[in-house]
Amino acid sequence: MLNFDFTEEQLMIQQSARDYAQRELIKDVIERDTRAIFPTQHVKVLTELGFMGMMTNTKYDGGGMDTVSYVLALEEISKVDSSVAVIISVNNSLVCYEIEEFGTEEQKEKFLKPLARGEKLGAFLLSEPEAGSDATSQRTIAIDMGDHYLVNGVKNWITNGNSASTYILIAQTNKEKGHKGINALIVDRNAPGITLGPHEDKMGMRSSDTHSVMFADVKVPKENRLGDEGMGFKIAMKTLEGGRIGIAAQALGIAQGAYERALKYSKERKAFGTEIINHQAIAFKLAEMHTRIEAAKYFTLKSAWLKDQGRPYGTASAMAKYWAAETAMYVTTEAVQIHGGYGYVKEYHVERLMRDAKLTQIYEGTSEIQQIIIARAIMND
């Protein structure tokens, strides 16, 4: 049975993330957002606090924490700055997990340990200019050359694209086999033939670095392949199941952060002789916001709990990601509305939270893709 009582360790992790976010991240979050500055110093401190490889087994120098702890931490950080949260999420959910779950012992020693310690940062390279939601249509080619693969192609919308030292690349090796001809390769960011496109000037989550990555005759050793030949697509899809939990936690945090600011403002701002929370129009907005957030929290924690129990969680994580993202967009929009004109300026934070919320409906599987996953699960019941 799903237990809503958090352990002492989980509460300590939550409090640690909350303290750092409310004390340190808040100080320069507006400046970093405005100028699109990567949070180098914050990542360094969060590494020291153990957040960059928090779910990796201690055997590989990770924190050995559970998924519920991960959700609680990401939620607290996202209340203030989801740009920092997505950096943590990619390294944990998409890179460390993938190597730990599908890598050889040699790969774990060589690649996973530095990532789990936070000495190196990872990036996950799946999306392409013509292969976003349709991840089977990979055009990046990894030609089998015997002892190595020769990679050519373009990946885009890559979080940590410039700051990462280790890439996990999804590429097509055998087109005739379709999705069964795709491989997952660990690639050194500094390998000859890799170039980056310009920093993407994004609407939201502007403090994280996003780039296109181009490959021109890049040699990747055969021993860097994850899993058996042709397992890349299966590995990527399994990885994204867990990644959706991280995005749900981010969306939940964004929504919660916006709600808390709107609630505080509504208790202070007066109109027509009383605080605006006393007006039913505002009170009902807050009631709806709070209710949707509670539902998102349930979905997110349930998917995390299922993962921790070793039970199937793919559909649950899709539901969590879908509902939390939709909730984040709804709640942040209403938070701006409650703030009125003040909500439209940077100083009050909610306009930034609204911009950040939009991305949670798009990346690591759009809301529409999550609905497809949920619908298929229903049809197969």
Side-chain angles (χ1 to χ4, degrees):
M1 181 178 288
L2 182 59
N3 188 346
F4 287 96
D5 293 328
F6 299 129
T7 66
E8 186 175 338
E9 182 183 19
Q10 288 168 342
L11 291 172
M12 285 175 62
I13 293 164
Q14 181 187 47
Q15 189 62 50
S16 176
R18 179 185 298 148
D19 288 346
Y20 187 77
Q22 299 293 337
R23 186 181 66 250
E24 301 298 336
L25 287 180
I26 194 69
K27 290 179 181 177
D28 61 348
V29 63
I30 292 176
E31 181 187 9
R32 284 186 290 102
D33 172 76
T34 302
R35 298 173 56 194
I37 301 170
F38 187 80
T40 303
Q41 187 58 35
H42 293 301
V43 171
K44 182 181 178 181
V45 176
L46 288 164
T47 295
E48 293 168 358
L49 292 173
F51 288 107
M52 299 311 294
M54 58 189 301
M55 291 188 294
T56 303
N57 194 300
T58 55
K59 177 182 177 181
Y60 304 112
D61 298 343
M65 303 173 200
D66 61 8
T67 316
V68 171
S69 297
Y70 173 64
V71 164
L72 295 176
L74 281 188
E75 179 188 357
E76 292 300 330
I77 291 167
S78 298
K79 286 180 185 179
V80 176
D81 189 359
S82 54
S83 290
V84 171
V86 73
I87 295 166
I88 296 171
S89 177
V90 167
N91 204 65
N92 275 280
S93 295
L94 302 186
V95 182
C96 287
Y97 167 82
E98 197 161 352
I99 298 173
E100 184 172 11
E101 186 72 13
F102 302 103
T104 63
E105 285 302 314
E106 291 77 15
Q107 289 170 342
K108 292 173 187 178
E109 284 290 326
K110 183 177 179 180
F111 299 108
L112 179 56
K113 283 187 173 182
L115 288 162
R117 291 194 297 263
E119 295 171 2
K120 291 187 176 181
L121 193 62
F124 180 64
L125 284 64
L126 175 64
S127 292
E128 298 183 1
E130 295 184 47
S133 294
D134 181 10
T136 59
S137 299
Q138 297 290 306
R139 295 197 176 185
T140 296
I141 303 298
I143 303 170
D144 189 339
M145 303 297 288
D147 65 341
H148 69 275
Y149 293 96
L150 196 64
V151 179
N152 286 278
V154 179
K155 294 292 182 177
N156 65 346
W157 315 124
I158 305 305
T159 301
N160 300 343
N162 183 49
S163 53
S165 301
T166 304
Y167 290 161
I168 293 184
L169 170 72
I170 308 300
Q172 185 83 53
T173 297
N174 190 331
K175 283 187 176 182
E176 294 180 0
K177 291 186 177 180
H179 73 276
K180 293 183 179 179
I182 293 172
N183 281 312
L185 308 175
I186 305 172
V187 182
D188 181 350
R189 151 77 173 86
N190 296 312
I194 295 177
T195 56
L196 298 185
H199 182 282
E200 299 289 357
D201 191 7
K202 307 190 299 289
M203 178 173 82
M205 298 202 192
R206 292 173 50 78
S207 186
S208 71
D209 74 282
T210 306
H211 293 261
S212 292
V213 182
M214 283 75 77
F215 296 84
D217 290 339
V218 177
K219 291 183 179 180
V220 181
K222 247 325 176 31
E223 60 263 29
N224 284 21
R225 187 187 69 215
L226 287 169
D228 295 331
E229 181 71 36
M231 275 188 63
F233 182 76
K234 182 178 179 181
I235 289 171
M237 294 303 102
K238 184 63 179 176
T239 299
L240 288 175
E241 284 187 0
R244 290 195 290 263
I245 299 174
I247 305 303
Q250 289 173 46
L252 176 60
I254 292 168
Q256 186 68 33
Y259 167 75
E260 289 174 3
R261 289 183 179 279
L263 180 63
K264 183 175 183 292
Y265 181 82
S266 69
K267 290 179 177 180
E268 296 170 350
R269 172 71 170 175
K270 289 186 177 182
F272 305 103
T274 187
E275 291 78 10
I276 62 173
I277 195 171
N278 294 321
H279 297 298
Q280 195 175 72
I282 302 299
F284 279 12
K285 283 183 185 293
L286 291 163
E288 181 72 15
M289 292 157 75
H290 181 63
T291 302
R292 292 194 188 200
I293 289 170
E294 286 299 301
K297 191 172 296 185
Y298 170 79
F299 283 132
T300 306
L301 286 171
K302 180 185 178 183
S303 62
W305 179 82
L306 286 170
K307 184 172 182 286
D308 287 337
Q309 297 298 310
R311 296 166 63 175
Y313 60 91
T315 304
S317 70
M319 293 172 70
K321 202 268 189 187
Y322 168 72
W323 184 255
E326 296 300 306
T327 295
M329 198 67 240
Y330 174 84
V331 169
T332 54
T333 303
E334 289 291 69
V336 171
Q337 190 71 17
I338 289 171
H339 279 77
Y342 293 105
Y344 210 63
V345 297
K346 293 179 183 296
E347 179 186 352
Y348 284 76
H349 296 280
V350 288
E351 63 85 27
R352 172 176 51 78
L353 291 168
M354 184 174 74
R355 288 186 283 107
D356 288 353
K358 187 61 197 174
L359 188 55
T360 67
Q361 294 178 306
I362 298 171
Y363 70 170
E364 291 192 36
T366 63
S367 287
E368 291 76 14
I369 289 296
Q370 307 313 315
Q371 288 177 307
I372 290 171
I373 293 167
I374 298 162
R376 286 175 178 168
I378 292 169
M379 289 185 281
N380 291 329
D381 278 348

